[in-house]
Amino acid sequence: MISEMSSIQDSLQSKLDQLECHFTWNIEKEHLVLTDILNRLEEQVKMGLGKDQGVARTHCSLGYVKFLLGSKEEALTHLLKSETLIKENLGVNCDKTLIVPYGNLAWINYHMKNYTESESYLMKLQKINETFSAEPSTVPEVLGEKGWAYLKFSHRYYDKAAEFFQKALLLDPENSEWNVGYAIALYRTEDPTYFTVDSPAIKQLKQAIDIDPDDDASRVLLGVKYLFCSKELMNESEKLIETALKGSPENPHVMRYVGKFFRNQGYVDRSVALLKKALETSPNSGFMHHQLAMCYKIKKINLQKEKQVNKSEVNNARNQCIYHLEKATSLKPSFIIAMSELAFQYGEKRDLPKAEKLFDRTFKIAREKNDGVHKVHFFYAEFQHYCNRCEDLAISHYRQCLEMSPHTSEGNRSAKKLKNIAARYIKENPGHWKANEILGFIYQMKGEMFGDTKSYAATLGNEEDDESLSNLCEINCKI
């Protein structure tokens, strides 16, 4: 009897491995922050975000997340809900759209030892496959669903998401959902320091809006892109943002990017108001809390620039920043940037042991996930440089950041920090061996020469600093 049951399982397993669904797309559990994904998906269901098919898709993804969290019964409920919604919305034309949910249902029933039910879904899939000649892996509905799954589950899969949306659009170029998915994937993967007015992301965002003029989520992303792209596009950027906010004033996805836009424009209080309003409908959004923390960080810096520094107001802004960073990291325990920022803020507050402890944990998580380690090195270098006043350690970590990722934002900022340190050494002693070693290292990593370092040293302090965490942090650490 045991042998017969094992044979049935092996036979089913072989068939299940051939399916196109979340269970076979190599979405690795260790790459996911499941509680964060769960919060976002549940929020989308609650608000009914997306078109009818979008809600069905969200239930399908929720089913897989619930399975990974060990809640198989809840997983089955969501998958059945996805199946029901697809049939209600698409009627007789739903077969291709059911391929992914049916695959997930076959798998979840297999894991629940409902082998007969699992087999029944395999038979349904076989009947669907018999109605068209293409392999399921080349069906645009499957390619599009695969793109959305990669886009929703982890930033590690954004490149894959773009790849599958592009494949889906080659087969169905006017599909609004695949167009917007492709636009979002490009927006998230495009290096913000190198794009132009005709970048792939900007072109695709325009395409998504042309196909669906009511797509305010794409409109606000395009507005943000324009803002960082060219000063000449400022008016167009503002028009897009205003139209998006007017059209979807309650959509948290729109509000959070409008909030980011206003913050980058210097309208910090307006950004705070919008983000707080968005939090009312999305209280478990780590992203929102992080954006609010960045607003309060800017408020703190602005307060420190005033001639008469009000220490109480500065401390209040810092405490608000810390509060929202703590919320962000509790909601998303592997939020590397927020954790690093929080550790630095503890350092500014002179709680150095707490800062060191959090940096240790952040390094550990980043290394375990092999994700964002260079970013932690940069934050830790800033902490050592300005809070702990240990320049040798700061240099060491700036170098490690630059060596790991020389062409990222953090790599560029590390190079600039090292360049400033070297220039100061040269200003004090033109033949300083450490300065020459640092500049040689930067050249080795980035291939950049700095010309006459003595002339540069003479102008040190006259140029505007970058957007690093060290803005006014020498003052920060004294208040």
Side-chain angles (χ1 to χ4, degrees):
M1 186 69 177
I2 294 175
S3 177
E4 182 181 347
M5 183 63 70
S6 178
S7 177
I8 292 172
Q9 287 179 254
D10 291 343
S11 175
L12 275 174
Q13 176 83 51
S14 177
K15 294 175 184 176
L16 291 166
D17 286 336
Q18 306 304 311
L19 302 181
E20 285 286 341
C21 62
H22 292 73
F23 287 84
T24 62
W25 287 339
N26 296 319
I27 299 173
E28 304 293 340
K29 185 176 180 179
E30 57 267 26
H31 293 163
L32 311 179
V33 184
L34 290 174
T35 52
D36 181 58
I37 299 170
L38 181 66
N39 286 335
R40 286 190 283 109
L41 294 175
E42 288 181 337
E43 172 193 297
Q44 289 171 22
V45 168
K46 179 181 177 181
M47 298 193 65
L49 293 178
K51 297 180 180 179
D52 294 334
Q53 178 52 27
V55 178
R57 178 186 304 117
T58 303
H59 278 290
C60 195
S61 293
L62 266 171
Y64 185 61
V65 172
K66 287 290 186 179
F67 164 76
L68 293 177
L69 289 168
S71 303
K72 294 175 186 176
E73 290 290 348
E74 289 184 66
L76 180 60
T77 299
H78 283 292
L79 292 171
L80 290 172
K81 180 66 174 177
S82 177
E83 178 188 11
T84 300
L85 287 172
I86 290 169
K87 288 179 177 179
E88 288 177 353
N89 297 327
L90 299 180
V92 295
N93 300 315
C94 67
D95 280 358
K96 292 181 181 180
T97 309
L98 283 169
I99 291 173
V100 174
Y102 277 176
N104 283 342
L105 280 161
W107 268 100
I108 194 65
N109 277 290
Y110 170 78
H111 284 294
M112 296 175 76
K113 299 186 176 4
N114 299 333
Y115 300 129
T116 302
E117 198 66 22
S118 179
E119 185 70 51
S120 75
Y121 280 106
L122 287 171
M123 291 176 66
K124 290 177 182 180
L125 284 167
Q126 184 178 343
K127 287 181 180 179
I128 291 173
N129 293 340
E130 289 171 354
T131 62
F132 53 90
S133 57
E135 288 293 318
S137 60
T138 64
V139 173
E141 286 81 356
V142 172
L143 292 167
E145 291 303 303
K146 202 167 185 176
W148 279 117
Y150 285 135
L151 191 62
K152 287 183 176 183
F153 276 76
S154 173
H155 68 92
R156 287 175 175 266
Y157 303 130
Y158 287 167
D159 287 325
K160 284 187 177 183
E163 173 191 343
F164 284 103
F165 281 129
Q166 189 175 34
K167 288 180 179 179
L169 286 170
L170 288 173
L171 300 168
D172 187 2
E174 297 301 312
N175 185 292
S176 62
E177 289 194 286
W178 309 154
N179 269 286
V180 69
Y182 188 39
I184 295 171
L186 290 176
Y187 176 90
R188 293 181 181 176
T189 55
E190 196 169 75
D191 189 332
T193 60
Y194 294 107
F195 67 79
T196 60
V197 290
D198 59 350
S199 75
I202 285 179
K203 286 181 177 179
Q204 186 56 39
L205 285 164
K206 289 180 178 178
Q207 171 77 356
I209 296 166
D210 286 343
I211 290 175
D212 182 4
D214 295 327
D215 183 4
D216 288 316
S218 292
R219 186 170 284 107
V220 76
L221 292 181
L222 181 59
V224 172
K225 275 287 187 186
Y226 276 169
L227 174 65
F228 294 109
C229 192
S230 170
K231 290 182 179 178
E232 295 176 1
L233 294 171
M234 183 61 68
N235 289 338
E236 184 64 23
S237 176
E238 290 178 353
K239 287 178 185 177
L240 286 164
I241 296 296
E242 288 171 4
T243 303
L245 188 57
K246 184 177 179 180
S248 302
E250 302 298 326
N251 186 325
H253 297 313
V254 170
M255 283 195 288
R256 72 184 193 181
Y257 283 106
V258 173
K260 186 175 183 179
F261 173 87
F262 284 132
R263 189 186 82 225
N264 286 315
Q265 285 291 82
Y267 305 126
V268 181
D269 289 334
R270 192 171 180 186
S271 181
V272 168
L274 271 173
L275 289 166
K276 284 188 172 180
K277 184 177 179 182
L279 269 180
E280 292 174 8
T281 52
S282 305
N284 295 322
S285 172
F287 180 94
M288 299 278 197
H289 281 289
H290 182 246
Q291 289 298 308
L292 269 167
M294 294 303 94
C295 287
Y296 283 109
K297 176 186 170 183
I298 291 174
K299 284 176 74 74
K300 177 193 66 177
I301 290 171
N302 289 340
L303 286 166
Q304 290 163 339
K305 288 180 179 179
E306 295 179 357
K307 289 183 179 180
Q308 296 295 324
V309 178
N310 186 318
K311 292 183 179 181
S312 176
E313 289 185 4
V314 170
N315 286 331
N316 181 60
R318 181 187 292 116
N319 289 337
Q320 284 294 312
C321 178
I322 288 173
Y323 168 78
H324 287 289
L325 286 170
E326 287 177 339
K327 289 291 289 185
T329 54
S330 67
L331 289 164
K332 193 175 179 181
S334 61
F335 199 162
I336 298 298
I337 289 292
M339 291 176 72
S340 300
E341 180 79 70
L342 178 58
F344 184 85
Q345 294 300 326
Y346 287 151
E348 279 196 351
K349 203 173 181 180
R350 309 308 299 158
D351 195 341
L352 301 184
K354 195 170 185 178
E356 289 278 11
K357 186 176 180 180
L358 183 54
F359 270 122
D360 286 344
R361 185 154 65 92
T362 308
F363 269 119
K364 182 179 179 182
I365 292 172
R367 285 168 178 149
E368 285 175 351
K369 290 181 169 291
N370 190 27
D371 184 28
V373 180
H374 71 284
K375 297 178 182 179
V376 189
H377 276 297
F378 177 76
F379 278 84
Y380 191 61
E382 295 282 87
F383 166 73
Q384 290 296 342
H385 196 182
Y386 297 101
C387 299
N388 211 28
R389 300 302 177 92
C390 183
E391 191 166 81
D392 286 342
L393 268 178
I395 291 170
S396 172
H397 286 276
Y398 284 136
R399 288 177 63 131
Q400 289 181 72
C401 174
L402 178 56
E403 186 171 14
M404 293 178 74
S405 288
H407 302 298
T408 61
S409 172
E410 290 79 15
N412 291 331
R413 290 151 76 186
S414 291
K416 184 170 183 179
K417 293 293 182 180
L418 289 168
K419 177 183 169 186
N420 287 347
I421 291 170
R424 178 165 48 78
Y425 288 162
I426 290 168
K427 193 172 184 179
E428 296 168 359
N429 175 9
H432 202 296
W433 67 270
K434 187 179 284 188
N436 290 320
E437 182 188 51
I438 290 171
L439 293 175
F441 175 75
I442 297 172
Y443 176 71
Q444 181 185 354
M445 292 296 105
K446 294 181 68 66
E448 293 180 0
M449 295 294 289
F450 299 112
D452 185 351
T453 52
K454 291 182 183 179
S455 298
Y456 176 76
T459 63
L460 184 63
N462 294 333
E463 62 178 27
E464 187 71 22
D465 197 5
D466 60 15
E467 293 183 284
S468 84
L469 293 174
S470 63
N471 285 330
L472 296 176
C473 56
E474 288 192 67
I475 299 174
N476 295 347
C477 294
K478 294 176 182 177
I479 295 178

